Amino acid sequence: MGSNNVINITFPDGSVKEFPKGVTPLKIAESISKGLAEDILVAEVNRQLVDLTTPIEENSYVKFYKFGDEEGKKVYWHSTSHIMAQAIEELFPGAKFGVGPAIENGFYYDVDSEHKFTDEDLKKIEQRMIEIAKRDLKTQREEMKHDDAIKYFKSKRVDPYKVEILEEIAKEPIVSLYHQGGFTDLCRGPHMPTTAKLKNVKLLSVSGSYWRGDSNRKQLQRIYGISFPKKKELDDFINLLEEAKKRDHRKIGKELELFMFHEVSPGTPFWLPNGMILFKELEKYWREIHEKSGYDEINTPILVKDILFEQSGHLAHYKENMFRVDDGEETYYLKPMNCPEATLVYSSQMRSYKDLPIRLSEIGRLHRNELRGAVGGMLRVRQITMDDAHIFCTPEQIQQEITGVMQLVKTFYALFEFKPFFYLSTRPDDALGSKETWDQAEAALAAALKANDIEYEVKEKEGAFYGPKIDVNIKDALNRDWQIATIQLDYQFPERFDLTYEGSDGHKHRPIMVHRAIFGS
């Protein structure tokens, strides 16, 4: 074989092996072992995830992912969502499809259908999905010119949602479609090479979901599901769901008479006498540990003029989640966050470097206009009590203050035998301020995590619009992941509210603002 027909494949362990030009990741895996080829779900070629059937034409770095890897799960679940859409199209002709992503535990697809799906329908769809899996349909990726894809979804498979998505990505000259049997979907991929390995599936629920999350758009039906490579994994998950129902906080809250809900105030808890015993004990402990840690407690108004939220940026970035109150010619909002008012308390008098750090804590009542379809029990509500605090410090004090907050988090979580997991959430697309200040803030948080020997993962683009954050997650008794505490580093609010302190040099300087909550809510 001539050298022009041979390429070098480099593996994660640094080893290099020759293969014929055009070899696929699946063929490479088969050359290593049959077991590996059976287990892998997706490949990374030169840092890009690709289908296992993608030909490799040049010297490349190759890495494989299995179901135990996050990348593997996403491809497995997203591929299953395509099978679900195909089953729905076969059973309920005329259905249109929004988006069908992999999520933390499984997948969903948003469906526009005249038929209102019931639990019985979910069982029928599930059976059809198993049948489609057994057909062993090969997945084919087709790259198509953008305009041709629009024509396709306007004529061959009429779907206004796919057309709308294509119109939003008009700058992309080439898009990809995936075919399996008689079903085609607009998708970036990658996907499983065949439907054969996607037969252990369970559809979980159906709920309403506005297209694009916009309550002014049509409400679609969102069907949730999950799948696993092995039947035992699916059985274990279903058993876990049954255990979860027994431990559902809404069931326990009713049995122990802790809280209730009423239609006069949707998504807002009524705390009952037994619940208030817990509520007050938590507040009591919270005040004890904060007083010991040098925090001063404040209390700020719930109803605030719009000018404050205009200055903070909330009206530009968060308006749809805020409750508006009109009073004659003036407009007010119920506060969704405590932070803008904390800046007013800080700026109510001259501050010196000798005063810093200033730690202002607040048990604040907040209101957020969550969509009715999104609220559920205590996990998503419209009225929350936030155990908030805002620290104003010098740049030199950032690390010690972040360390102090993380020690508080560990102390509090140890009381409940929670094991915290840490994440660094970075600059989102709609961020305020310059990339330079964001880079400084992200570096400062990373340095604080490393200084405390804390392992963490990065969540790209999931920071708040005003600053990056450390998110602290826990797992519950059923091994489910929940984000509770958050620590946010903010260079933007001090700038927007013109916060200053007099430095040792006699000049004015900007403080750094740390937002943090320990309970979460």
Side-chain angles (χ1 to χ4, degrees):
M1 187 182 292
S3 60
N4 288 342
N5 293 322
V6 174
I7 57 174
N8 290 324
I9 298 299
T10 304
F11 297 99
D13 65 359
S15 62
V16 180
K17 192 175 177 183
E18 286 189 346
F19 287 92
K21 192 175 183 181
V23 69
T24 65
L26 188 58
K27 288 291 182 186
I28 294 172
E30 286 171 352
S31 77
I32 297 170
S33 80
K34 188 177 178 182
L36 177 66
E38 277 292 313
D39 289 343
I40 61 168
L41 305 177
V42 67
E44 181 185 304
V45 177
N46 295 332
R47 310 299 174 186
Q48 183 177 350
L49 292 178
V50 301
D51 299 319
L52 292 176
T53 53
T54 303
I56 304 173
E57 304 291 345
E58 59 187 12
N59 296 340
S60 299
Y61 167 87
V62 172
K63 184 177 180 180
F64 298 117
Y65 292 104
K66 303 177 183 179
F67 189 78
D69 303 308
E70 201 64 33
E71 295 85 350
K73 281 190 177 76
K74 284 182 179 178
V75 170
Y76 193 88
W77 285 334
H78 183 53
S79 297
T80 315
S81 80
H82 275 222
I83 290 185
M84 181 172 75
Q86 181 177 356
I88 292 168
E89 187 171 76
E90 291 180 5
L91 291 169
F92 304 94
K96 308 288 187 292
F97 300 95
V99 293
I103 52 176
E104 188 177 359
N105 271 309
F107 58 89
Y108 70 75
Y109 224 121
D110 288 337
V111 186
D112 181 358
S113 173
E114 295 300 317
H115 184 86
K116 298 301 174 191
F117 297 114
T118 64
D119 289 343
E120 285 303 311
D121 292 325
L122 296 194
K123 290 176 185 174
K124 290 177 188 174
I125 297 167
E126 197 178 288
Q127 286 303 312
R128 181 60 63 93
M129 291 172 70
I130 294 168
E131 183 191 320
I132 290 169
K134 288 177 180 175
R135 290 179 204 167
D136 190 13
L137 300 175
K138 300 298 182 279
T139 306
Q140 293 178 312
R141 177 187 172 95
E142 179 185 4
E143 294 193 345
M144 189 180 283
K145 288 181 180 177
H146 183 273
D147 291 346
D148 291 341
I150 288 181
K151 288 175 188 173
Y152 180 91
F153 284 105
K154 280 185 174 179
S155 57
K156 286 189 180 178
R157 209 199 93 190
V158 182
D159 197 322
Y161 302 102
K162 303 301 178 186
V163 172
E164 184 177 326
I165 291 168
L166 282 163
E167 287 171 346
E168 288 175 359
I169 57 171
K171 291 180 181 178
E172 297 185 23
I174 302 294
V175 296
S176 56
L177 278 61
Y178 276 81
H179 309 282
Q180 58 190 42
F183 179 74
T184 298
D185 207 351
L186 175 71
C187 187
R188 294 183 189 277
H191 273 275
M192 296 280 290
T194 170
T195 63
K197 292 184 179 180
L198 301 165
K199 59 181 181 288
N200 299 309
V201 62
K202 177 71 177 174
L203 297 189
L204 303 171
S205 63
V206 59
S207 62
S209 174
Y210 291 108
W211 175 236
R212 294 299 204 220
D214 184 348
S215 59
N216 296 313
R217 304 293 299 274
K218 185 167 186 177
Q219 191 174 52
L220 309 182
Q221 298 180 79
R222 178 170 291 180
I223 299 178
Y224 290 91
I226 192 139
S227 58
F228 292 92
K230 296 176 182 175
K231 186 174 185 302
K232 184 181 183 305
E233 293 171 318
L234 179 62
D235 292 341
D236 289 345
F237 182 83
I238 292 169
N239 289 336
L240 202 63
L241 286 182
E242 292 304 314
E243 290 299 314
K245 287 176 185 175
K246 295 175 189 174
R247 291 172 168 84
D248 191 306
H249 73 281
R250 288 166 291 192
K251 178 172 176 281
I252 295 168
K254 188 174 182 179
E255 289 171 353
L256 299 182
E257 297 182 4
L258 302 177
F259 54 82
M260 58 171 269
F261 290 89
H262 197 282
E263 61 186 19
V264 298
S265 186
T268 305
F270 287 71
W271 285 94
L272 304 177
N274 287 349
M276 283 307 296
I277 293 171
L278 297 176
F279 201 105
K280 288 187 291 185
E281 284 300 316
L282 286 170
E283 283 189 335
K284 180 182 172 185
Y285 177 67
W286 182 89
R287 287 192 168 97
E288 283 176 7
I289 62 175
H290 281 76
E291 283 171 13
K292 286 178 184 174
S293 300
Y295 285 79
D296 294 309
E297 187 173 353
I298 60 172
N299 192 302
T300 60
I302 290 173
L303 191 63
V304 188
K305 282 186 180 180
D306 58 355
I307 189 171
L308 181 72
F309 297 117
E310 202 164 308
Q311 189 173 356
S312 69
H314 281 94
L315 288 188
H317 294 263
Y318 203 75
K319 186 176 181 179
E320 69 277 6
N321 296 105
M322 297 168 65
F323 286 105
R324 174 174 168 159
V325 179
D326 291 315
D327 180 20
E329 295 181 359
E330 294 187 314
T331 300
Y332 292 77
Y333 285 92
L334 297 179
K335 67 173 177 178
M337 279 90 171
N338 296 306
C339 35
E341 291 175 82
T343 66
L344 300 184
V345 174
Y346 176 88
S347 60
S348 63
Q349 56 183 278
M350 290 291 293
R351 306 291 183 178
S352 161
Y353 73 96
K354 295 177 182 177
D355 301 322
L356 302 185
I358 292 172
R359 307 181 187 104
L360 302 177
S361 62
E362 177 170 15
I363 297 178
R365 190 65 59 83
L366 309 178
H367 294 81
R368 298 179 182 177
N369 190 12
E370 302 282 2
L371 293 173
R372 285 201 182 197
V375 297
M378 289 289 193
L379 301 179
R380 198 72 177 263
V381 292
R382 287 179 157 187
Q383 177 180 290
I384 59 176
T385 303
M386 183 73 74
D387 72 306
D388 230 335
H390 298 92
I391 302 168
F392 302 88
C393 64
T394 68
E396 296 75 24
Q397 293 168 334
I398 289 174
Q399 191 160 309
Q400 75 179 46
E401 291 306 308
I402 299 294
T403 295
V405 174
M406 288 193 286
Q407 286 171 347
L408 265 182
V409 168
K410 288 179 176 179
T411 299
F412 175 72
Y413 286 9
L415 184 70
F416 294 95
E417 298 182 2
F418 292 150
K419 181 187 176 185
F421 300 88
F422 295 83
Y423 299 87
L424 176 58
S425 297
T426 61
R427 185 175 184 262
D429 292 331
D430 64 344
L432 291 176
S434 69
K435 186 177 183 299
E436 183 185 2
T437 57
W438 274 83
D439 289 345
Q440 289 173 14
E442 288 174 13
L445 288 179
L449 286 162
K450 288 171 185 171
N452 286 276
D453 293 323
I454 291 175
E455 291 184 11
Y456 67 95
E457 293 180 25
V458 175
K459 291 200 285 189
E460 298 288 352
K461 297 187 176 184
E462 291 195 26
F465 67 84
Y466 48 79
K469 57 191 177 112
I470 295 171
D471 289 326
V472 188
N473 289 32
I474 60 163
K475 290 189 182 294
D476 64 14
L478 297 171
N479 207 37
R480 295 174 300 185
D481 202 48
W482 301 99
Q483 193 241 304
I484 307 293
T486 184
I487 308 165
Q488 302 167 359
L489 193 56
D490 181 6
Y491 286 71
Q492 312 307 326
F493 272 27
E495 190 73 37
R496 293 177 80 89
F497 287 96
D498 193 25
L499 305 184
T500 62
Y501 66 90
E502 186 179 282
S504 57
D505 58 2
H507 296 295
K508 286 186 176 180
H509 298 269
R510 288 261 183 260
I512 309 299
M513 190 172 175
V514 178
H515 309 241
R516 43 112 299 191
I518 307 298
F519 290 15
S521 67

